[in-house]
Amino acid sequence: MATQLLQFNDKGIYCSAGDFYIDPWKPVEYAVITHAHSDHARWGSKFYLAHRLARGVLKYRLGEIQLETAEYDQSIFRNGVKISFHPAGHIIGSAQVRVEYKGEVWVVSGDYKTEDDGISTPFEPVRCHTFISECTFGMPVYKWPAQQQVYEDINQWWKRNAEEGKITFITGYSLGKAQRILQQLDQSIGRVFLHGVIANTNRALESDGVNLPAAAWLGPDVSIADARGGIIICPPSAIGTPWMRKFHPYSFGYCSGWMALRGAKRRMAADRGFVLSDHADWHGLISAIDATQCECVCLTHGYTASFARYLRERGYNAHEAHTYYGAEEETAELADNGTPAAPPSLPGEEGGVL
């Protein structure tokens, strides 16, 4: 390792040469953000830099921050340090951050997946000397099934529920998983409804030019009869709430990589579990790391200790680092009466701002 271009301190991943942080977990002067999930993009920093497609959701989640955006492969220079974003394939607007200074190249992965989900810009490996990588699912047990088969299973399950007169709930994070599910639903089966936080998130994405399938906000004017036979996409925070329980009879399905573990569906009290993740599986992590042709690997969250041992056995200089990533929290954004908040007006529309 020629230089310690990036270091971990009590605020985050710091580049002293460029005087900036990547995904800091405390407020800093200059924050470079890999994506808009709350464990990587936190409120309080003075200045933010992110990919263009993260603009709307960052402002929706963090408020009126001072934000600059860039395209993939666009070079930004700070104190002689070259910064650029490269597709991570995790969610819309997610990016790996490449940092170059005096011939040394480091890449911070943020969260990533190597399979093309059809909605996020597909992952691209970036050659570097040191790769700072997540390993959320860094165990051999995590091997994702074919996405198309998962989507077919979801649609067949929804169709059976509709034929039985049930409402279907499908759960996924409001930023990332919800949009993947929405684009793959067979809307000939019935109506598609969105929990308020997902409707808000979709509007934020659409403000940056992202095209998403139409779906209805499940507001207070939608009756149980209106929703019968339909499917409701909701975040994990809605599970078991009075808002959800009022739609009985319903069938509830959970989409997550954790569904690959035996007993996970039962612990979530779900009727169905679907193995669908926005992170790389075991083989995806290994192929991504190999493709960087890096010399050193630093693992930030997930099965860091065991995965680092495995990589060292394969000849990598691999170690783990303590971070505050890996705990993305979804807020239900419920009004006092338990109804999801209405999507806000977009800038220029009467009644408010995004």
Side-chain angles (χ1 to χ4, degrees):
M1 194 182 304
T3 62
Q4 281 290 335
L5 183 55
L6 299 178
Q7 299 174 323
F8 292 85
N9 64 28
D10 64 340
K11 293 183 178 180
I13 304 172
Y14 181 57
C15 178
S16 58
D19 192 22
F20 62 85
Y21 283 82
I22 299 173
D23 290 354
W25 43 82
K26 292 182 180 179
V28 298
E29 183 76 14
Y30 194 101
V32 180
I33 302 299
T34 61
H35 65 287
H37 279 159
S38 61
D39 55 332
H40 290 259
R42 300 171 188 258
W43 181 86
S45 292
K46 183 176 181 180
F47 189 90
Y48 294 82
L49 175 67
H51 186 266
R52 177 182 62 81
L53 291 179
R55 182 199 66 85
V57 288
L58 280 172
K59 290 200 170 186
Y60 163 55
R61 288 177 162 218
L62 301 182
E64 284 303 315
I65 56 175
Q66 193 172 350
L67 172 66
E68 178 185 354
T69 63
E71 300 287 353
Y72 292 124
D73 298 311
Q74 179 182 343
S75 297
I76 304 292
F77 289 89
R78 182 168 169 83
N79 298 341
V81 177
K82 182 180 177 182
I83 307 167
S84 56
F85 293 120
H86 302 268
H90 176 53
I91 62 172
I92 296 169
S94 63
Q96 304 171 83
V97 178
R98 182 185 185 274
V99 180
E100 180 178 357
Y101 185 64
K102 295 183 177 179
E104 185 76 5
V105 177
W106 290 46
V107 171
V108 178
S109 74
D111 291 332
Y112 65 96
K113 68 174 177 293
T114 53
E115 58 183 349
D116 183 358
D117 63 13
I119 193 168
S120 310
T121 306
F123 175 87
E124 294 180 4
V126 182
R127 293 185 60 178
C128 58
H129 298 98
T130 298
F131 188 44
I132 299 178
S133 174
E134 65 134 315
C135 63
T136 303
F137 292 104
M139 291 284 282
V141 67
Y142 297 110
K143 182 179 180 181
W144 307 148
Q147 292 180 88
Q148 201 54 46
Q149 184 59 57
V150 175
Y151 297 137
E152 289 175 9
D153 291 345
I154 290 172
N155 281 314
Q156 287 301 313
W157 166 67
W158 173 24
K159 185 177 180 181
R160 287 194 299 273
N161 292 336
E163 290 170 349
E164 295 171 3
K166 295 179 181 177
I167 296 171
T168 299
F169 278 91
I170 188 77
T171 300
Y173 285 132
S174 65
L175 176 58
K177 197 77 58 66
Q179 291 75 41
R180 289 179 69 187
I181 295 169
L182 175 60
Q183 71 161 352
Q184 295 294 337
L185 291 177
D186 179 0
Q187 298 206 24
S188 69
I189 297 171
R191 296 184 67 187
V192 177
F193 298 93
L194 304 178
H195 183 284
V197 69
I198 295 173
N200 291 345
T201 301
N202 283 8
R203 290 185 61 134
L205 291 167
E206 288 166 347
S207 73
D208 286 325
V210 177
N211 293 317
L212 296 170
W217 166 54
L218 193 69
D221 58 330
V222 177
S223 69
I224 295 175
D226 292 333
R228 191 75 63 216
I231 190 168
I232 300 168
I233 308 176
C234 66
S237 54
I239 297 170
T241 61
W243 170 83
M244 184 175 180
R245 290 197 297 269
K246 73 180 182 182
F247 288 98
H248 274 296
Y250 63 77
S251 186
F252 155 49
Y254 201 104
C255 291
S256 173
W258 302 114
M259 291 298 113
L261 292 178
R262 181 175 298 178
K265 176 173 72 75
R266 182 180 66 253
R267 288 192 294 273
M268 293 305 301
D271 298 304
R272 287 291 303 269
F274 299 98
V275 181
L276 189 69
S277 177
D278 289 331
H279 296 261
D281 65 4
W282 169 259
H283 293 294
L285 288 167
I286 295 169
S287 65
I289 291 168
D290 286 346
T292 68
Q293 300 184 32
C294 65
E295 302 159 3
C296 303
V297 182
C298 183
L299 302 172
T300 60
H301 57 291
Y303 294 92
T304 54
S306 58
F307 195 51
R309 286 195 300 272
Y310 171 79
L311 291 176
R312 286 194 292 269
E313 291 172 358
R314 297 185 69 236
Y316 284 100
N317 176 6
H319 58 281
E320 52 184 319
H322 174 70
T323 68
Y324 290 88
Y325 307 135
E328 160 70 359
E329 295 180 359
E330 297 287 338
T331 57
E333 297 192 4
L334 298 177
D336 291 341
N337 63 359
T339 301
S345 299
L346 294 175
E349 292 184 336
E350 185 178 358
V353 296
L354 184 64

